[in-house]
Amino acid sequence: MSQALLELENFSVCYGPVEAVHQVALTVGEGEIVTVIGPNGAGKSTLLNATMGLLGSTGTLKLGGQPLVRPTVEAMVDAGVGLVPEKRELFGEMSVGDNLLLGGFARWRKGQRDQKERMAEVFKLFPRLEERRAQMASTLSGGERQMLAIGRALMARPRLLMLDEPSLGLAPLIVREVLNIVASLRDMGVSVLLVEQNARAALNVADRGYVLEMGEVALTGPAHELMHDRRVIETYLGVGGKKAPPEAPAAPSP
């Protein structure tokens, strides 16, 4: 694995007395795509939100080898981490272009006036967004809204982009298109932590994967190995769950 960009150790998250994530150990390397799969309610989104500093957590979080004692959204953004939440949370009554400019506001506030260049990169990645640059975000299709949410996050030039269920509610053809773009982020030097209900699609684009069950890591390994692990196949890939019929008994010897 490449040099670690994000490291979680004994990472736990509680909602009051209920522990939703229990002592997770997870690593994302530089230029790596890592996916977290698992059933609904396993704690996948909670894990991302706590990593981003939106929820309180215990344990160790390191970025580039440096521990963050109290992860906050501001500290994570300053460290080059972006999150595309499950609900996308676009500004519907603002144009595509204005939504993108807002994504680059943190850089602008630091005196980095490169929004035009960043927007050109996003439009190269998502030509459809350039066609709809002046269109209100609320009028976009589901796939276009997901592209805009990812594009807006990329305006901040993150080192690590965390994606929460990017395929949610999208047609299979659009899912493929969106995840192909996610795969291309690796070539741009962006590491990706991908939480995804569609296990097959996620493992197809990822380098490594974690299976989260009841808030704990149940399995981890290279994505291609998890794709062929019988436990993953039977539980998450929708095939192999039925046992083969028993073989017919051999005919008695004469």
Side-chain angles (χ1 to χ4, degrees), residues 46-70:
T46 297
L47 178 66
L48 281 199
N49 289 330
T51 300
M52 193 65 197
L54 291 166
L55 296 172
S57 61
T58 60
T60 303
L61 186 156
K62 293 181 182 178
L63 278 173
Q66 299 300 312
L68 285 179
V69 179
R70 290 183 178 273

Side-chain angles (χ1 to χ4, degrees), residues 146-161:
Q146 185 62 72
M147 292 174 191
L148 178 54
I150 295 172
R152 185 178 64 179
L154 290 174
M155 288 290 293
R157 297 209 74 180
R159 291 191 294 161
L160 172 66
L161 183 60

Side-chain angles (χ1 to χ4, degrees), residues 9 39 85 91 96 193 202 215-216 233:
E9 284 291 341
F91 294 94
V96 167
L193 179 56
E216 298 187 48
I233 292 171

Side-chain angles (χ1 to χ4, degrees), residues 7-22:
E7 298 171 85
L8 304 179
E9 284 291 341
N10 297 319
F11 196 74
S12 300
V13 186
C14 292
Y15 291 107
V18 179
E19 191 175 50
V21 172
H22 178 66

Side-chain angles (χ1 to χ4, degrees), residues 64-200:
Q66 299 300 312
L68 285 179
V69 179
R70 290 183 178 273
T72 64
V73 175
E74 292 78 11
M76 296 301 283
V77 170
D78 285 345
V81 180
L83 170 67
V84 178
E86 179 185 324
K87 295 181 180 178
R88 293 154 195 165
E89 296 179 2
L90 302 171
F91 294 94
E93 300 309 310
M94 294 176 65
S95 70
V96 167
D98 286 343
N99 268 276
L100 290 174
L101 286 174
L102 276 176
F105 179 72
R107 290 177 63 81
W108 181 87
R109 191 172 55 186
K110 292 178 181 178
Q112 296 166 308
R113 303 295 193 260
D114 58 355
Q115 286 72 34
K116 288 184 179 180
E117 291 85 351
R118 301 287 72 75
M119 197 176 288
E121 288 180 356
V122 170
F123 287 154
K124 184 177 181 181
L125 201 59
F126 301 107
R128 209 175 307 174
L129 293 183
E130 185 169 23
E131 296 169 10
R132 289 156 174 72
R133 182 173 185 164
Q135 196 170 319
M136 296 297 105
S138 60
T139 66
L140 299 177
S141 69
E144 291 163 351
R145 289 173 63 84
Q146 185 62 72
M147 292 174 191
L148 178 54
I150 295 172
R152 185 178 64 179
L154 290 174
M155 288 290 293
R157 297 209 74 180
R159 291 191 294 161
L160 172 66
L161 183 60
M162 302 193 293
L163 299 171
D164 193 0
E165 302 281 8
S167 75
L168 190 68
L170 303 183
L173 192 63
I174 304 301
V175 170
R176 193 175 304 120
E177 183 179 356
V178 168
L179 289 181
N180 281 342
I181 291 167
V182 170
S184 73
L185 297 180
R186 187 194 287 112
D187 300 327
M188 297 170 59
V190 179
S191 302
V192 176
L193 179 56
L194 169 66
V195 157
E196 183 54 68
Q197 189 72 21
N198 187 331
R200 184 183 301 278

Side-chain angles (χ1 to χ4, degrees), residues 6 19 30 38 57 71 103 145 176 193 207 210 242 253:
L6 172 70
E19 191 175 50
E30 295 274 4
S57 61
R145 289 173 63 84
R176 193 175 304 120
L193 179 56
D207 299 300
Y210 292 81
K242 296 179 180 179
S253 302

